[in-house]
Amino acid sequence: MFKLEARAQPSKLLMVGSPVIALLITVLVGSLLFVALGKSPVDGLRMFFYEPIKNVYSLTELTIKATPLVLIALGLAVCFRANLWNIGAEGQFVLGAICGGWVAMQATPDTGRWIAVAVLVAGMLGGMAWAAIVALLRDRFNASEILVSLMLVYVAEMLLSYLVYGPWKDPQGYNFPQTITFLDPARIPKIVSGFRMNIGVYIALAAVVVFTIFLSRTYAGFQLQVGGLAPAAARYAGFSSRRALWTGLLISGGMAGLAGALDAAGPQGQLTPFVPMGYGFAAIIVAFVGRLNPVGIVFSALLMSMFYIGGELAQSRLGLPKALTGVFQGLLLFCLLACDTFIHQRLRWVSK
């Protein structure tokens, strides 16, 4: 029988290169999938890896998808390094959109541009409040943060549906479940006229710098990581596990809420039942493919954004199912986990 046996010294080169290897395997398996669906692999791969970057407009659209993924994944990286498994960033994203959207709806034509800042702050606070529920139940009752955060995703989606179908529905919206379109003062400013790319790109890049410093150059970041890697050592050193719990979840929730507000007041421009786009779940893959490193997360988010756009193009141009986006995302994570398993362990035949 075969048995997994830990390697004495895993290859550092393979550990760094495993995301690339996982991507190559994903491309290979994806090509076989296109053949099975009766489509040309060349056409299919072009939708995913060429069309999203072929011109300036495509690149700006790529940033629209990548910005929320980067922000959410940065927060999740802090949680995961602290050994906290926040699986419900999607719900915190939705709450950020709801809270930011409420502030945006208060704008009038005479309101100053300052309200856009208030929209983002409200989004962050909304995401933090939703994550605080998870932290409170874990802290007081030792409830699993995995289950609590995941179940709260559905609560957030039901709350959004109630609002857009009920009290927040646009009376001039022909009975569609949507809020009013946010006025210009409450919208996130665009960087270049004629493109949807907005200052969320700058916010995401600034966040990458801040999180890089926080995780690698600050005492608080060191405490979080020690608590995740060696809880016993952290307790011996006097680090507070309770503080790490609240800090990690509040940072993660705040970043997801910020992403939700940016998306609602940016490219969406209103709240609809389609605010949940799966960014919170996809960001988990982004964080792990990026090795929980802020710089790696940027490249991982761009790749995941290509999958989003490629899936939409494959659906409209090749007639393939929309679920193909999720298939590619899942393939990438599965291949990465498989690569990591065989980098750290090897198969050995053991006779009975």
Side-chain angles (χ1 to χ4, degrees):
M1 59 180 292
F2 286 104
K3 182 181 180 181
L4 283 174
E5 182 181 79
R7 296 182 186 273
Q9 186 63 44
S11 170
K12 292 183 178 180
L13 180 61
L14 288 178
M15 288 175 64
V16 173
S18 63
V20 178
I21 298 172
L23 176 60
L24 294 176
I25 298 174
T26 300
V27 170
L28 177 61
V29 176
S31 299
L32 297 176
L33 183 61
F34 286 126
V35 173
L37 292 172
K39 304 295 181 181
S40 167
V42 175
D43 292 339
L45 293 177
R46 188 176 72 247
M47 295 296 113
F48 279 87
F49 297 101
Y50 172 70
E51 293 292 333
I53 58 173
K54 70 176 183 179
N55 53 39
V56 175
Y57 176 78
S58 298
L59 289 172
T60 59
E61 288 298 300
L62 195 66
T63 65
I64 295 295
K65 300 288 188 184
T67 296
L69 290 174
V70 169
L71 292 172
I72 300 171
L74 287 172
L76 290 178
V78 172
C79 262
F80 295 157
R81 286 192 180 211
N83 202 25
L84 297 169
W85 300 99
N86 178 16
I87 308 299
E90 182 76 0
Q92 294 143 29
F93 174 89
V94 172
L95 254 291
I98 290 174
C99 293
W102 178 81
V103 173
M105 287 188 291
Q106 311 310 307
T108 65
D110 298 326
T111 305
R113 293 295 299 177
W114 59 266
I115 197 170
V117 178
V119 168
L120 299 183
V121 172
M124 289 187 67
L125 293 177
M128 292 173 71
W130 213 240
I133 299 174
V134 181
L136 179 64
L137 293 177
R138 167 69 187 273
D139 185 23
R140 293 294 185 183
F141 306 104
N142 199 30
S144 168
E145 72 271 19
I146 297 175
L147 293 177
V148 174
S149 61
L150 186 59
M151 292 299 102
L152 282 175
V153 173
Y154 303 102
V155 178
E157 291 177 348
M158 292 299 102
L159 176 61
L160 174 66
S161 294
Y162 164 72
L163 292 172
V164 297
Y165 278 95
W168 287 4
K169 181 190 287 188
D170 181 6
Q172 307 299 324
Y174 302 100
N175 207 36
F176 284 101
Q178 60 189 29
T179 64
I180 61 171
T181 301
F182 303 152
L183 299 180
D184 285 342
R187 299 290 297 271
I188 305 302
K190 297 179 181 179
I191 296 176
V192 181
S193 178
F195 297 97
R196 296 200 304 161
M197 183 172 64
N198 56 48
I199 62 170
V201 175
Y202 296 149
I203 295 174
L205 292 177
V208 169
V209 175
V210 170
F211 274 76
T212 300
I213 296 172
F214 173 73
L215 291 173
S216 60
R217 293 289 184 272
T218 66
Y219 185 61
F222 174 72
Q223 285 182 310
L224 281 173
Q225 295 180 76
V226 171
L229 293 172
R235 287 194 297 271
Y236 181 78
F239 298 164
S240 172
S241 59
R242 186 181 184 188
R243 183 185 303 157
L245 167 69
W246 281 91
T247 301
L249 284 171
L250 289 180
I251 289 176
S252 181
M255 295 304 291
L258 174 60
L262 275 170
D263 192 65
Q268 304 298 329
Q270 60 182 170
L271 295 179
T272 71
F274 306 106
V275 166
M277 298 183 65
Y279 287 143
F281 297 116
I284 298 173
I285 303 176
V286 170
F288 279 107
V289 173
R291 290 297 193 225
L292 305 184
N293 179 283
V295 177
I297 282 171
V298 174
F299 294 102
S300 177
L302 290 172
L303 176 62
M304 198 62 60
S305 302
M306 292 171 67
F307 287 172
Y308 267 110
I309 296 174
E312 294 170 358
L313 294 174
Q315 181 185 16
S316 61
R317 298 184 185 180
L318 301 180
L320 292 173
K322 184 180 179 181
L324 199 61
T325 299
V327 171
F328 265 86
Q329 292 174 350
L331 272 175
L332 181 61
L333 180 60
F334 179 81
C335 292
L336 180 67
L337 294 175
C339 288
D340 286 350
T341 297
F342 289 110
I343 287 171
H344 290 87
Q345 302 176 81
R346 59 167 165 255
L347 277 177
R348 182 182 175 188
W349 174 260
V350 179
S351 62
K352 293 184 179 180

